[in-house]
């Protein structure tokens, strides 16, 4: 019988105290993967031998007094759009099936430099764009809370691996919600940091000005630990921001007394948030109020208007990347991916520029809302995870993700569990912060997480 | 103003892009296209003529950065990843966010 791996913070404390070894932790993670992955399909490529070697090196370094930091010797995994030297990066696609990375993505290099142990590469929707039932070279990941329900995407394998206790940290990417949606559906914390805070170099692109790299973890504290390693200017990423990296854990336990949270209820209503999700988000707002925060109503720009902005940019930029393959190798894409990318052929140059002009206006409007509050609160998705058979896999979705507008504005967004629905599936909320305000989001989230007590609940899995 | 013909625009855009939609998927793609046509109307809200796009291209102070992604994909053409830097109202003169 396998056990879920400890959180990053628990593992770090155990290694520091000498009660847990990197080798034992890595073996526990590999045992958990062996027990559960045949059912959950989180991994595309498992690098067990490499992980065992890295864990042994980490253990020797720590014993020799050469500890690199709090995450030294702890396993992690990568969405299979991140490069890791010598390992294939497939983007879950036949098109890149033999694409072996020559070097590390900047994020991979940072995690390796921190002494972390790579377990392997994780399932994704093809090129971070397809759907959960596409016929692809590898099986699609399944939600550990209920395998008949959607795990979210596109960082599906990342969320499944963390939620099922295979690993404490998985990297995802978020172009319209692909970190935050699977985090919500699988009961996790997912961070889409401010555009430019985490390097995208060495990560297969989908939309240059909307793509964000970021972590999925079980706890807020773990997210802060991961952010400390991941954030920072990278001259190899043309969109990277020259901003100082704060101490993400410094204010984690300061509480929310005196802070103001803007509840974007009208936005949730426009997005079609259902009754149980709305009640859970409202209850979270009430919890923060009891903890000392001031809760105010805020009005965001209309979602429909923001959707037009992000969808236009996403279609055009995705098509710029994939146009040639769509012409020459269309049969090598899954149907959902191919059709969604082909939609970009309908966007004119004028429409793309107009969307970028609208983006500037909308960003300023969201900035103005954030002048009056420390964070905006809205739902992480209109519902708990739908059944896989009910997921809209059409070329152009009938409704667009509640998360997407903040990819257009670049503001940081944090997905956080806020309860469970009648079906037993996780519910989640989203906190949106001021640019470079990740530490504030983590502080607000930490206060709720500790008071709410949802962390104790895990999916029921054999093994 | 002449009325647009969605069917003609649909076929023209695909032909211009060199794409082929299988007959059995035409209806679904057409439905997506019509939904997109509705959505794009929202892009044309009134705004000052001088409103500039967000994330405009700026000149870096040092050597221009290129993605190494193209190398790992074995495709030098992908190395021309555009150098997008911020220029929204939140950016300073140096293009920082």
């Amino acid at each position: 019988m396998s056990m879920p791996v400890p959180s990053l913070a628990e593992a770090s404390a155990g290694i520091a105290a000498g009660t847990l070894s990197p080798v034992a932790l890595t073996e526990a993670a590999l045992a958990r993967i062996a027990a559960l992955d045949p059912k959950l399909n989180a991994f595309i490529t498992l690098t067990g031998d490499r992980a065992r070697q890295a864990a042994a090196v980490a253990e020797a370094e720590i014993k020799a007094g050469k500890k690199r930091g709090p995450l030294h010797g702890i396993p992690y995994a990568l969405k299979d759009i991140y490069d890791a030297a010598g390992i294939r990066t497939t983007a879950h696609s036949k098109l890149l099936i033999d694409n072996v990375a020559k070097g590390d993505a900047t994020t991979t290099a940072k995690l390796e430099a921190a002494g972390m142990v790579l377990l392997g590469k994780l399932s994704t929707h093809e090129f971070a764009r397809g759907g959960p039932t596409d016929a692809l070279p590898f099986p699609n990941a399944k939600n550990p809370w209920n395998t008949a329900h959607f795990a979210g995407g596109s960082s599906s394998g990342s969320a499944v691996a963390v939620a099922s206790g295979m690993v404490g940290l998985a990297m995802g990417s978020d172009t319209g919600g692909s970190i935050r949606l699977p985090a919500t559906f699988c009961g996790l914390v997912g961070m889409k940091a401010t555009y430019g805070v985490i390097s995208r170099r060495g990560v297969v692109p989908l939309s240059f000005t909307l793509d964000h790299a970021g972590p999925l973890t079980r706890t807020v504290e773990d997210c802060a630990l991961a952010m400390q390693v991941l954030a920072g200017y990278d001259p190899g990423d043309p969109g990277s921001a020259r901003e100082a990296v704060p101490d993400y854990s410094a204010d984690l336990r300061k509480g929310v007394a005196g802070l103001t949270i803007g509840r974007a209820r009208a936005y949730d209503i426009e997005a079609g948030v259902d009754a149980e999700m709305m009640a859970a988000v409202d209850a979270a707002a009430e919890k923060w109020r009891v903890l000392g925060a001031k809760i105010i109503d805020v009005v965001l720009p209309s979602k429909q208007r923001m959707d037009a902005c992000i969808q236009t940019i996403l279609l055009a930029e995705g098509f710029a990347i994939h146009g040639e393959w769509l012409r020459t190798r269309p049969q090598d894409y899954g149907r959902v991916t191919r059709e969604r990318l082909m939609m970009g052929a309908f966007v004119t140059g004028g429409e793309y520029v107009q969307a970028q002009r609208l983006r500037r206006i909308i960003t300023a409007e969201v900035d103005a809302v954030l002048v009056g509050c420390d964070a905006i609160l809205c739902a992480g998705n209109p519902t708990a995870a739908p059944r896989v058979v009910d997921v809209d896999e059409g070329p152009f979705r009938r409704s667009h993700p509640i998360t997407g507008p903040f990819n257009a504005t670049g503001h940081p967004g944090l997905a956080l569990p806020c309860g469970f629905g009648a079906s037993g599936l996780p519910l989640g909320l989203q906190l949106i912060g001021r640019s470079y305000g990740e530490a504030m989001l983590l502080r607000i989230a930490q206060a709720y997480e500790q008071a709410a007590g949802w962390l104790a609940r895990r999916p029921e899995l054999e093994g | 103003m002449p009325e647009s013909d969605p069917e003609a625009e649909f076929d023209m855009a695909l032909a211009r892009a060199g794409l082929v939609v299988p007959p059995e998927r035409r209806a679904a793609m057409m439905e997506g296209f019509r939904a997109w046509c509705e959505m794009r109307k929202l892009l044309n809200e009134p705004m000052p003529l001088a409103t500039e796009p967000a994330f405009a291209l700026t000149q870096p102070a040092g050597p221009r950065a290129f993605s190494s992604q193209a190398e790992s994909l074995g495709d030098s053409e992908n190395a021309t990843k555009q150098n997008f830097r911020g220029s929204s109202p939140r950016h300073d003169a140096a293009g920082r966010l």
Side-chain angles (χ1 to χ4, degrees):
Chain A
M1 181 173 176
S2 69
M3 296 294 288
V5 296
S7 70
L8 299 183
E10 290 166 344
S12 182
I15 290 170
T19 57
L20 182 64
S21 83
V23 169
L25 181 58
T26 301
E27 290 298 341
L30 291 171
R32 185 74 170 171
I33 293 166
L36 298 179
D37 205 47
K39 179 178 160 188
L40 298 177
N41 305 327
F43 280 83
I44 285 177
T45 302
L46 188 62
T47 54
D49 290 343
R50 185 186 193 277
R52 288 186 174 97
Q53 289 172 14
V57 169
E59 190 157 315
E61 287 179 349
I62 292 166
K63 278 184 180 168
K66 296 175 182 172
K67 190 168 181 186
R68 302 189 200 179
L71 300 184
H72 198 174
I74 300 176
Y76 74 104
L78 296 168
K79 180 176 183 175
D80 199 17
I81 64 171
Y82 283 74
D83 279 349
I87 303 171
R88 66 181 176 177
T89 305
T90 71
H92 210 136
S93 179
K94 187 177 178 183
L95 284 145
L96 294 181
I97 198 83
D98 297 319
N99 173 52
V100 177
K102 291 176 183 166
D104 284 343
T106 296
T107 42
T108 309
K110 283 176 174 249
L111 295 165
E112 292 288 318
M116 295 197 79
V117 174
L118 179 63
L119 292 175
K121 308 291 283 298
L122 298 159
S123 175
T124 167
H125 294 174
E126 187 180 23
F127 286 108
R129 188 66 172 116
T133 69
D134 248 349
L136 300 173
F138 313 101
N140 289 294
K142 303 209 177 284
N143 192 324
W145 293 91
N146 185 332
T147 54
H149 285 252
F150 190 25
S154 61
S155 306
S156 49
S158 306
V160 171
V162 177
S164 62
M166 297 176 185
V167 67
L169 164 66
M171 292 302 296
S173 69
D174 193 315
T175 303
S178 291
I179 288 172
R180 288 162 290 160
L181 293 171
T184 293
F185 290 164
C186 293
L188 300 175
V189 176
M191 173 71 90
K192 180 203 83 70
T194 311
Y195 185 82
V197 163
I198 297 178
S199 172
R200 301 159 305 143
R201 189 189 69 83
V203 181
V204 177
L206 170 61
S207 175
F208 301 118
T209 71
L210 298 170
D211 289 343
H212 296 66
L216 289 100
T217 59
R218 269 199 83 230
T219 72
V220 175
E221 183 179 19
D222 283 3
C223 185
L225 288 168
M227 283 296 297
Q228 207 62 53
V229 173
L230 296 165
Y233 174 66
D234 175 14
D237 176 352
S240 189
R242 289 181 186 270
E243 286 288 322
V245 177
D247 182 342
Y248 291 106
S249 299
D251 293 344
L252 213 50
R253 290 173 181 80
K254 281 195 173 174
V256 293
L259 301 182
T260 301
I261 297 172
R263 173 76 179 99
R265 209 161 193 282
Y267 178 77
D268 281 354
I269 291 169
E270 185 187 353
V273 172
D274 72 8
E276 73 175 3
M277 186 69 87
M278 191 72 89
V281 179
D282 285 340
E286 175 59 16
K287 181 74 77 179
W288 271 306
R289 191 191 64 74
V290 169
L291 292 169
K294 181 181 176 186
I295 309 297
I296 62 170
D297 283 326
V298 295
V299 178
L300 292 172
S302 98
K303 180 172 178 294
Q304 202 180 23
R305 184 165 158 253
M306 294 197 282
D307 283 345
C309 173
I310 180 179
Q311 291 303 320
T312 305
I313 295 165
L314 174 55
L315 290 176
E317 294 186 359
F319 189 75
I321 293 165
H322 287 275
E324 183 61 22
W325 277 339
L326 289 170
R327 278 184 283 274
T328 58
R329 299 178 63 184
Q331 72 284 358
D332 289 340
Y333 288 95
R335 193 272 299 166
V336 180
T337 316
R338 178 176 62 247
E339 291 182 350
R340 288 184 174 169
L341 291 169
M342 285 175 79
M343 287 291 301
F346 301 128
V347 181
T348 67
E351 287 161 351
Y352 176 73
V353 172
Q354 194 65 9
Q356 291 284 18
R357 295 175 79 206
L358 183 57
R359 178 186 207 166
R360 185 181 178 108
I361 294 169
I362 288 169
T363 301
E365 290 173 358
V366 175
D367 276 344
V369 172
L370 283 161
V371 168
C373 59
D374 295 289
I376 296 166
L377 168 64
C378 58
N381 190 65
T383 66
R387 296 187 307 162
V388 172
V389 294
D390 294 330
V391 174
D392 180 354
E393 293 193 291
F396 197 64
R397 287 190 185 96
R398 289 180 181 84
S399 67
H400 300 281
I402 196 168
T403 42
F406 311 105
N407 293 76
T409 67
H411 292 98
L414 182 78
L416 181 69
C418 65
F420 293 86
S423 60
L425 292 164
L427 302 172
L429 57 80
Q430 187 179 191
L431 290 168
I432 305 301
R434 296 173 186 151
S435 294
Y436 307 106
E438 288 81 8
M440 176 60 78
L441 295 186
L442 290 164
R443 173 182 168 185
I444 293 170
Q446 170 80 3
Y448 174 79
E449 180 188 72
Q450 295 304 304
W454 303 118
L455 257 179
R457 203 152 152 185
R458 285 180 177 272
E460 290 177 11
L461 296 161
E462 78 273 22
Chain B
M1 192 169 122
E3 278 196 24
S4 64
D5 178 350
E7 294 274 350
E9 185 185 345
F10 179 86
D11 289 332
M12 194 183 303
L14 290 175
R16 180 180 180 275
L19 302 179
V20 177
V21 174
E24 70 275 13
R25 295 301 302 164
R26 181 178 174 89
M29 283 294 289
M30 191 70 205
E31 184 186 339
F33 173 66
R34 287 182 189 276
W36 152 246
C37 288
E38 280 303 304
M39 177 177 270
R40 70 184 177 185
K41 291 176 185 171
L42 296 169
L43 298 173
N44 295 322
E45 69 179 40
M47 62 179 74
L49 282 178
T51 298
E52 300 242 355
F55 298 99
L57 189 67
T58 58
Q59 293 295 330
R64 190 178 297 274
F66 285 90
S67 168
S68 69
Q69 186 63 46
E71 290 177 23
S72 69
L73 298 182
D75 180 358
S76 61
E77 286 180 6
N78 281 341
T80 55
K81 190 173 175 182
Q82 290 294 298
N83 186 12
F84 286 96
R85 294 294 302 276
S87 64
S88 76
R90 299 168 299 144
H91 296 72
D92 65 18
R96 288 189 284 257
L97 283 166

